[in-house]
Amino acid sequence: MDSDTVWRHVDTQRGEVADLIEAIDARDPASWDTPSLCAGWTVGDVAAHLTLPNVPMSRMLFEVVRCGFRFNTAVHRLAIADTRTPAQIAADLRALVGFRRHPPGTTECEPLTDLLVHAQDICVPLDIDRPMPVDAAVAAAERVWGMGFPFNARKRFAGVRLVATDADFAVGAGREVRAPIRDLLLLLTGRPSAVTATG
């Protein structure tokens, strides 16, 4: 998938997830305290995290240094300390449409993967079925498979061949596991999934 197509998907996801945040808040504001699929994060934490590109670089560097250069700890600290309302988070996420920055050492597929997976982190615990655009999910899964840290997918699924049943995606070698690309992406990123690929 070319860069422009990836960014179009990113923009679409930002708008749709902003709508989702508002809909969840209107339905049940208590939902924000629900544990998400992302271990140690609530649904509200995940929603706030998706606006991370809005954080000034100076603030991000300060938090990273403050957390002993542990990036994941720094972004978690930012999320749990966030005091914005869901409406403000949704507005800030919409404001990112057209924004084209990604962290050094990453590609445009990282923001796409963040949006696709974190939307599921929010939706699955709340029993919301959120479809995933197949071509975007394939691009994200291919990136996760090839990138190593932080998911280390190749190592975790050594001896397994993962095959999408609804997309042109197949990686690995060994015992074959077949599932929709949405489930495979969740599996590759370490989320609880309907797919069992170990053992």
Side-chain angles (χ1 to χ4, degrees), residues 32-50 52 71-80 118 121-122 125 191:
W32 298 111
D33 294 325
T34 303
S36 76
L37 289 188
C38 190
W41 295 58
T42 66
V43 164
D45 295 338
V46 173
H49 168 73
L50 287 173
L52 188 62
F71 181 77
N72 288 341
T73 302
V75 297
H76 189 211
R77 181 191 292 272
L78 283 168
I80 63 176
H118 284 318
D121 288 340
I122 291 170
R191 270 63 179 178

Side-chain angles (χ1 to χ4, degrees), residues 125-137:
L126 300 179
D127 293 321
I128 298 171
D129 180 30
R130 177 170 169 77
M132 207 181 269
V134 169
D135 59 338

Side-chain angles (χ1 to χ4, degrees), residues 21-22 25 32 44 47-48 51 82-92:
I21 289 168
E22 290 176 336
D25 189 50
W32 298 111
T51 65
D82 199 296
T83 59
R84 289 173 297 166
T85 66
Q88 290 170 325
I89 291 171
D92 287 344

Side-chain angles (χ1 to χ4, degrees), residues 13 17 20 35-38 43 46 50 113-133 137 181-183 185-186 189 191-192:
Q13 292 298 310
V17 175
L20 173 70
S36 76
L37 289 188
C38 190
V43 164
V46 173
L50 287 173
T113 303
D114 245 19
L115 285 156
L116 294 175
V117 174
H118 284 318
Q120 299 298 319
D121 288 340
I122 291 170
C123 287
V124 172
L126 300 179
D127 293 321
I128 298 171
D129 180 30
R130 177 170 169 77
M132 207 181 269
I181 188 63
R182 176 176 65 174
D183 293 333
L185 180 57
L186 292 179
T189 54
R191 270 63 179 178

Side-chain angles (χ1 to χ4, degrees), residues 2-24:
D2 65 85
S3 179
D4 286 343
T5 303
V6 172
W7 283 120
R8 281 196 296 272
H9 275 297
V10 168
D11 284 344
T12 298
Q13 292 298 310
R14 282 171 172 162
E16 289 182 358
V17 175
D19 291 344
L20 173 70
I21 289 168
E22 290 176 336
I24 291 170

